[in-house]
């Protein structure tokens, strides 16, 4: 670094460490055991990257960012892979030997995940250490092993690599001389000395033209007086040893190629092998013989061999460059997702602002311009268990609606029994006149009563009407505006209970006492209130989001009276419509809002509910793809399509049980061709977006439960929240994160969450039952 005048720079470093190591990540490598004559103490069993970092720190005059540690085989594959993208095998045949190849993740049990591929360092030098090669090992192989530094280890390497090839030839020459087959039975001290017949001699002797002449020179150097026949025999012995080496190497390589072909499930495999090592490069016939044997053993594979130029150096740099690019991209992604990570301080601020907006909605003076409307519902009590009787419920919130008969029992047989039937509203009725719409609804009620054998019976009824309404009493709901594709004329600004009663009178078949009109959030609270008397808050987190809770009458300035409590429909989806949440909104939230059907409206809902979370995810993915951080920088037409990321896909992608292969199949179903890395990134984005949604929802709940506690002047409050909605129920982590957030932001409240079963139907009937109980008590 000093020589290149770069000592002041912190550069990324790739570390080629060509010894057997166990790796759990790219920048960690634990030395299993030293080989090649190394014996340095205190290194085996240690991470060599940590040791290198310590040594750099000890010097203190420069710094380096160690990004990747690789072995020379992997480096060879990466170097050749830069020039040929089909290269998926690395092979070294030099002093030692080894191979690596790209294995399918689904077969690598030591690493989590089953999608994509990973380079596996075979350490094939140890092939045969279990005795599996005993049938083809010779007495010379056994003698080499016994005299080595590591007897019983690296059996395959000792049969094929350069470190042992010359020694094999030497042992054969000694045996043949002892048996008077060579050198007239004469043996010299040099010939008996281990290592004196070098591997390079084998290569030189095997050269076609001057091989015999070279053999004479080498044998003479060993103190022998070889005849021409001795030189020819030595030439032949070298050929036999090197040919066996090339053939054994080819056989194992053929096994690897066959495995890759089977993994890919193709009839013919087209692949490239990157090769390095002195034996492969310098021996006159080794490479040709190896290639010829491979092609003979796997005729169904079209194989190209590329010689690596400095695989251990350039290859390590290539691995490092790839790792550095990925790290850089990861940093960019994390920086973008950071805007979606809310700190406790930020969540406390959201909770505080929600408290302020709630007060504005409750006060007469500020109600008109308040965004969180805090609408009185005229529901003044939750069930106390004494309710009884038969009630009808009508649940209208979309193109399908239900008519229900709900039987409420008290005493020993306390419980709720329900019967219901689902009806559809045709498109022309949804967009026709109000009279046609309510006549159709009454026709369906008549059909249901007949179906239940109750024709002509008059029952009290609860009406769940999940459209924005203004209420002046429990049995009056003035429709502010139609949503969800409804357009029936003559309804907006009218009391829907009155419209329903008029339609009943027109039919002249039965009479119903419409006791209560409610929204689904209030119904959810009432359903859970029947099971748990502590339930004083209702929450919906599904396609949309809303909340309600029991407020002290003295704080409800829009309704006369100071005594008791009333359920307030918060309409909290509009929280932030006055820009009070701008510090927490991201560019992605703004993009989703601008392209929505109601720009500038329901901003809180657009940050937390199922209808919009998928859209936020899609916008983040588009941003990542444009910046080349995802899907190889290619934006598909499908990704440009609004609404492709439904809540169910978010829930499926984030499921802990779902492997990356399944995440990829979900993305493919959405028309997005992804790699293993793409699948991981999409999962990260889904996690960040859903987590923020759950935390914001938790901050809203925390504001409500703390208000209930403060209203009552309590140091500690025990309260239950009734919850409904697909996002809360089906997402694998949303509810847990929301619960944790509430616990952290409202430490003086013990909050229990109770899942509602059919809040919009059963809940409407229970409100009717409570209203009837109170009415009867008043009459008495």
């Amino acid at each position: 670094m000093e020589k290149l005048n770069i000592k002041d720079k912190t550069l990324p470093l790739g570390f080629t460490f060509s010894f057997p190591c166990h790796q759990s990540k790219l920048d960690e490598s634990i030395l299993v055991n030293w080989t090649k004559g190394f014996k340095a103490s205190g290194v085996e069993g240690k991470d060599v990257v940590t040791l290198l970092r310590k040594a750099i720190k000890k010097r203190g005059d420069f710094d380096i960012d160690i990004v990747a540690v690789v072995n020379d085989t992997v480096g060879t594959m990466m170097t050749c892979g830069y020039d040929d993208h089909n290269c998926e095998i690395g092979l070294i045949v030099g002093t030692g030997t080894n191979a690596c190849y790209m294995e399918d993740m689904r077969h690598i049990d030591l690493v989590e995940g089953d999608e994509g591929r990973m380079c596996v360092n075979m350490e094939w030098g140890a092939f045969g250490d279990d005795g599996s090669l005993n049938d083809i090992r010779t007495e010379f192989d056994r003698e080499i092993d016994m005299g080595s530094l590591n007897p019983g280890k690296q059996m395959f390497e000792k049969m094929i690599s350069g470190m042992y090839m010359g020694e094999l030839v030497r042992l054969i020459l000694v045996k043949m001389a002892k048996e008077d087959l060579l050198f007239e039975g004469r043996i010299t001290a040099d010939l008996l000395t281990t290592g004196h017949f070098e591997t390079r001699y084998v290569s030189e002797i095997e050269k076609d033209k001057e091989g015999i002449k070279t053999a004479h020179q080498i044998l003479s150097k060993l103190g022998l007086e070889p005849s021409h026949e001795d030189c020819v025999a030595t030439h032949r012995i070298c050929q036999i040893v090197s040919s066996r080496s090339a053939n054994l190497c080819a056989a194992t390589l053929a096994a690897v190629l066959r495995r890759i072909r089977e993994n890919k499930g193709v009839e013919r495999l087209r692949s490239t092998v990157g090769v390095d090592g002195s034996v492969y490069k310098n021996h006159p016939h080794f490479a040709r013989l190896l290639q010829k044997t491979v092609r003979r053993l796997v005729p169904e594979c079209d194989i190209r061999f590329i010689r690596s130029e400095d695989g251990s150096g350039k290859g390590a740099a290539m691995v490092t460059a790839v790792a550095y690019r990925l790290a850089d991209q990861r940093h960019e992604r994390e920086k973008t997702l950071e805007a979606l990570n809310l700190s406790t301080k930020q969540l406390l601020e959201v909770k505080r602002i929600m408290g302020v907006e709630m007060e504005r909605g409750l006060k007469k003076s500020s109600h008109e311009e308040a965004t969180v409307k805090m609408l009185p519902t005229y529901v003044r009590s939750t069930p106390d268990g004494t309710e009884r009787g038969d009630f009808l419920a009508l649940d209208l919130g979309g193109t399908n609606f239900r008519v229900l008969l709900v039987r409420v029992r008290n005493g020993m047989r306390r419980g709720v029994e329900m019967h219901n039937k689902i009806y559809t509203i045709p498109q022309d009725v949804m967009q026709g006149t109000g009279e046609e719409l309510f006549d159709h609804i009454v026709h369906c009620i008549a059909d249901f009563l007949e179906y239940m054998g109750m024709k002509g019976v008059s029952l009290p009824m609860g009406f769940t009407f999940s459209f924005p309404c203004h209420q002046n009493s429990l049995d009056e709901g003035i429709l502010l505006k139609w949503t969800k594709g409804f357009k029936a004329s003559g309804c907006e600004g009218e009391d829907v209970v009155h419209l329903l009663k008029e339609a009943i009178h027109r039919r002249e078949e039965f009479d119903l006492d419409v006791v209560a009109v409610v929204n689904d959030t209030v119904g959810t609270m009432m359903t859970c209130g029947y099971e748990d008397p502590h339930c004083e808050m209702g929450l919906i987190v599904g396609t949309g989001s809303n909340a309600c809770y029991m407020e002290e009458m003295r704080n409800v300035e829009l309704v006369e009276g100071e005594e008791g409590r009333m359920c307030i429909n918060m309409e909290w989806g509009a929280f932030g419509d006055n820009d009070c949440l701008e510090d927490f909104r991201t560019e992605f939230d703004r993009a989703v809002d601008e392209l929505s059907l109601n720009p500038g409206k329901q901003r809180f809902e657009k940050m937390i509910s199922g209808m919009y979370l998928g859209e936020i995810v899609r916008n983040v993915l588009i941003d990542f793809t444009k910046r080349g951080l995802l899907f190889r920088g290619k934006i598909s037409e499908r990704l440009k399509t609004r609404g492709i990321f439904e809540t169910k896909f978010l829930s499926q992608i984030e499921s802990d049980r779902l492997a990356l292969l399944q995440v990829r199949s979900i993305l493919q179903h959405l028309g997005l061709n992804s790699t293993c890395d793409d699948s991981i990134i999409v999962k990260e984005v889904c996690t960040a977006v859903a987590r923020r949604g759950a935390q914001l929802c938790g901050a809203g709940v925390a504001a409500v439960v703390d208000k209930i506690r403060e209203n009552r002047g309590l140091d500690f409050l025990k309260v239950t929240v009734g919850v409904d909605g697909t996002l809360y129920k089906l997402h694998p982590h949303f509810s847990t994160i929301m619960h944790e957030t509430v616990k952290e932001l409202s430490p003086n409240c013990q909050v229990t969450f109770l899942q509602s079963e059919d809040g919009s139907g059963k809940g409407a009937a229970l409100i009717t039952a409570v209203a009837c109980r109170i009415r009867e008590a008043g009459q008495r």
Side-chain angles (χ1 to χ4, degrees):
M1 290 181 80
E2 207 165 281
K3 216 173 189 178
L4 294 169
N5 197 25
I6 53 169
K7 221 170 177 185
D8 58 329
K9 294 182 180 176
T10 304
L11 294 174
L13 173 81
F15 183 14
T16 304
F17 190 74
S18 303
F19 298 91
C21 283
H22 172 71
Q23 283 190 261
S24 57
K25 48 188 179 178
L26 194 55
D27 62 350
E28 179 187 275
S29 206
I30 292 155
L31 177 64
V32 177
N33 57 275
W34 281 121
T35 56
K36 306 174 193 176
F38 278 72
K39 281 280 171 73
S41 62
V43 184
E44 289 184 350
K46 299 280 176 64
D47 174 24
V48 294
V49 175
T50 302
L51 296 173
L52 181 57
R53 280 185 178 134
K54 274 184 186 170
I56 292 167
K57 200 174 178 184
K58 195 174 168 187
R59 271 187 69 105
D61 59 343
F62 69 92
D63 196 17
I64 271 175
D65 180 15
I66 302 166
V67 174
V69 58
V70 294
N71 93 349
D72 50 357
T73 324
V74 180
T76 295
M77 184 186 76
M78 292 298 279
T79 306
C80 298
Y82 185 72
D83 297 314
D84 183 335
H85 298 317
N86 284 324
C87 185
E88 49 194 341
I89 300 173
L91 171 66
I92 302 267
V93 197
T95 313
T97 184
N98 194 11
C100 69
Y101 73 101
M102 296 303 290
E103 176 59 88
D104 283 14
M105 280 289 288
R106 68 180 189 271
H107 297 144
I108 308 172
D109 288 350
L110 296 177
V111 181
E112 276 188 21
D114 58 2
E115 178 55 20
R117 302 201 299 168
M118 183 180 279
C119 179
V120 169
N121 167 22
M122 293 179 69
E123 288 295 340
W124 80 2
F127 176 35
D129 288 7
D130 59 353
S132 55
L133 293 178
N134 284 354
D135 287 352
I136 58 169
R137 287 175 72 228
T138 65
E139 60 183 286
F140 309 112
D141 296 310
R142 290 187 185 90
E143 196 173 336
I144 278 181
D145 180 46
M146 292 301 291
S148 69
L149 290 169
N150 55 348
K153 305 285 182 191
Q154 300 295 101
M155 295 300 193
F156 188 59
E157 184 170 79
K158 286 168 186 168
M159 294 170 81
I160 72 170
S161 78
M163 191 170 180
Y164 303 99
M165 210 181 273
E167 193 56 16
L168 268 171
V169 172
R170 186 188 70 79
L171 290 173
I172 295 167
L173 292 177
V174 168
K175 182 177 171 70
M176 291 180 82
K178 280 180 178 176
E179 292 178 2
D180 284 337
L181 297 171
L182 284 176
F183 317 126
E184 296 175 342
R186 187 165 166 262
I187 300 171
T188 64
D190 273 333
L191 187 62
L192 288 170
T193 307
T194 302
H196 270 213
F197 200 99
E198 298 172 35
T199 296
R200 66 187 174 91
Y201 296 166
V202 178
S203 299
E204 287 165 14
I205 289 169
E206 278 199 69
K207 283 179 182 164
D208 293 333
K209 288 179 182 174
E210 64 272 19
I212 305 295
K213 188 180 169 186
T214 306
H216 191 276
Q217 290 168 359
I218 290 166
L219 292 170
S220 300
K221 215 164 101 177
L222 293 172
L224 298 162
E225 294 172 3
S227 65
H228 178 73
E229 287 73 19
D230 289 337
C231 293
V232 170
T234 303
H235 178 267
R236 183 73 189 120
I237 290 163
C238 288
Q239 275 185 333
I240 290 166
V241 168
S242 65
S243 296
R244 184 186 75 151
S245 173
N247 285 328
L248 284 171
C249 192
T252 44
L253 190 56
V256 174
L257 287 161
R258 189 166 284 136
R259 181 174 180 86
I260 293 172
R261 188 176 72 88
E262 285 167 4
N263 283 349
K264 290 184 176 181
V266 292
E267 277 188 37
R268 285 201 78 75
L269 174 71
R270 187 164 170 259
S271 191
T272 299
V273 182
V275 202
D276 205 348
S278 52
V279 173
Y280 184 88
K281 286 181 170 179
N282 302 332
H283 191 281
H285 308 299
F286 188 96
R288 182 179 51 80
L289 187 57
L290 169 76
Q291 293 173 27
K292 186 180 172 185
T293 307
V294 166
R295 289 181 180 122
R296 195 170 75 239
L297 293 175
V298 277
E300 65 278 13
C301 300
D302 299 320
I303 307 303
R304 183 181 178 215
F305 290 83
I306 298 185
R307 269 171 58 160
S308 162
E309 298 308 319
D310 188 20
S312 53
K314 185 174 164 186
M318 291 302 306
V319 174
T320 306
V322 170
Y324 214 63
R325 170 176 61 81
L326 294 175
D328 199 40
Q329 289 180 344
R330 185 170 64 247
H331 176 68
E332 276 196 58
R333 287 195 301 270
E334 283 170 358
K335 201 173 157 188
T336 303
L337 294 179
E338 191 57 41
L340 294 163
N341 293 334
L342 299 175
S343 65
T344 303
K345 189 180 174 185
Q346 287 174 304
L347 290 167
L348 282 166
E349 181 59 10
V350 172
K351 176 190 168 187
R352 186 194 68 77
I353 300 168
M354 175 68 93
V356 171
E357 294 300 308
M358 286 168 72
E359 290 295 343
R360 292 182 70 225
L362 287 169
K363 289 194 186 312
K364 215 170 194 174
S365 58
S366 51
H367 175 80
E368 203 57 47
E369 68 267 14
T371 51
V372 181
K373 280 297 179 192
M374 307 295 283
L375 302 171
T377 65
Y378 294 85
V379 171
R380 296 171 185 267
S381 174
T382 52
D384 68 358
T386 63
E387 293 80 13
R388 58 189 293 275
D390 291 356
F391 306 91
L392 276 180
L394 183 62
D395 174 17
L396 178 64
T399 50
N400 289 340
F401 79 102
R402 291 180 307 154
V403 185
L404 304 95
L405 172 66
V406 181
R407 294 197 158 112
V408 183
R409 301 283 175 261
N410 64 3
M412 294 292 285
R413 290 170 57 239
R414 184 176 183 270
V416 177
E417 181 193 323
M418 291 198 301
H419 304 272
N420 74 81
K421 200 170 177 187
I422 296 170
Y423 297 90
T424 57
I425 302 177
Q427 191 79 13
D428 59 327
V429 174
M430 279 169 66
Q431 299 180 356
T433 65
E435 208 168 276
E436 287 169 343
L437 173 64
F438 282 93
D439 281 349
H440 177 73
I441 289 168
V442 170
H443 167 75
C444 296
I445 294 170
D447 176 79
F448 178 75
L449 289 171
E450 195 169 323
Y451 168 73
M452 292 300 296
M454 299 174 72
K455 200 173 179 185
V457 174
S458 179
L459 290 174
M461 187 172 91
F463 185 11
T464 302
F465 189 75
S466 301
F467 297 90
C469 281
H470 172 71
Q471 285 189 260
N472 292 317
S473 64
L474 184 60
D475 60 354
E476 177 187 278
I478 307 227
L479 176 64
L480 298 177
K481 61 173 186 291
W482 280 121
T483 56
K484 307 174 193 175
F486 278 73
K487 286 273 173 68
S489 62
C491 297
E492 289 182 355
E494 298 294 325
D495 173 17
V496 294
V497 175
H498 178 67
L499 294 173
L500 180 64
K501 281 179 175 172
E502 277 190 336
I504 291 168
H505 293 147
R506 278 197 298 275
R507 193 167 178 93
E508 294 180 348
E509 253 182 51
F510 56 86
D511 198 19
L512 294 174
D513 177 15
V514 183
V515 174
V517 59
V518 295
N519 94 348
D520 49 359
T521 322
V522 182
T524 294
M525 182 187 77
M526 294 300 273
T527 306
C528 296
Y530 187 74
E531 306 296 330
D532 182 343
H534 290 291
C535 184
E536 297 188 75
M537 180 176 177
L539 173 66
I540 303 265
V541 200
T543 312
S545 181
N546 193 15
C548 68
Y549 73 102
M550 296 304 290
E551 179 58 87
E552 305 299 315
M553 276 297 291
R554 66 177 185 272
N555 296 331
V556 187
E557 293 186 8
L558 296 180
V559 180
E560 282 184 19
E562 298 281 313
E563 290 303 307
R565 293 173 187 148
M566 182 178 282
C567 178
I568 296 294
N569 166 21
M570 292 177 68
E571 288 295 339
W572 83 359
F575 176 38
D577 288 3
N578 59 353
D579 296 341
C580 64
L581 289 179
E582 283 312 289
D583 289 350
F584 310 99
R585 290 174 79 226
T586 66
E587 58 182 292
F588 310 112
D589 296 307
R590 292 185 183 96
V592 168
D593 182 36
E594 281 164 21
L595 289 171
S596 67
L597 293 169
N598 54 347
K601 304 287 182 194
Q602 300 294 98
R603 287 181 181 174
F604 189 57
E605 184 170 76
K606 286 169 187 170
M607 293 169 87
I608 68 172
S609 78
M611 190 170 181
Y612 301 98
L613 290 190
E615 267 305 280
I616 299 171
V617 167
R618 190 180 68 84
N619 276 276
V620 176
L621 299 185
I622 285 175
D623 175 69
F624 280 2
T625 310
K626 279 179 180 172
R627 286 154 59 195
L629 307 175
L630 187 65
F631 301 136
R632 299 181 192 85
K634 292 173 187 167
I635 298 182
S636 66
E637 283 305 312
R638 196 86 173 104
L639 193 56
K640 292 178 191 171
T641 311
R642 283 182 62 231
I644 60 159
F645 265 87
E646 297 170 41
T647 314
K648 66 173 181 180
F649 293 133
L650 259 73
S651 299
Q652 286 168 1
I653 286 168
E654 273 207 74
S655 170
D656 293 327
R657 297 188 303 276
L658 211 61
L660 288 173
L661 189 67
Q662 289 158 294
V663 173
R664 192 173 174 188
S665 74
I666 290 168
L667 294 173
Q668 280 172 339
H669 172 73
L670 294 171
L672 304 169
N673 289 319
S674 66
T675 63
C676 171
D677 289 335
D678 289 337
S679 302
I680 293 166
I681 293 162
V682 170
K683 199 167 183 174
E684 280 173 6
V685 174
C686 290
T687 300
V689 170
R691 181 179 179 77
R692 185 192 66 157
Q695 287 178 322
L696 286 170
C697 198
V701 173
V704 174
V705 295
D706 262 334
K707 174 149 179 58
I708 296 172
R709 182 181 62 79
E710 287 161 12
N711 281 347
R712 296 172 196 178
L714 300 171
D715 292 329
F716 191 81
L717 173 73
K718 189 180 176 192
V719 68
T720 297
V721 179
V723 201
D724 205 347
T726 48
L727 187 60
Y728 181 88
K729 286 181 172 179
L730 303 179
H731 192 280
H733 308 301
F734 193 97
S735 58
T736 310
I737 294 163
M738 190 184 91
H739 299 168
E740 287 167 0
T741 306
V742 174
K743 196 174 180 181
E744 187 181 10
L745 302 184
S746 294
N748 296 328
C749 298
Q750 184 189 322
V751 184
T752 304
F753 291 87
L754 188 60
Q755 268 198 39
S756 160
E757 296 309 322
D758 189 24
S760 51
K762 186 174 164 183
L766 285 167
I767 291 167
T768 305
V770 170
C772 289
R773 167 174 62 80
I774 292 169
R775 190 164 67 183
E776 283 166 21
Q779 284 166 355
R780 281 200 299 275

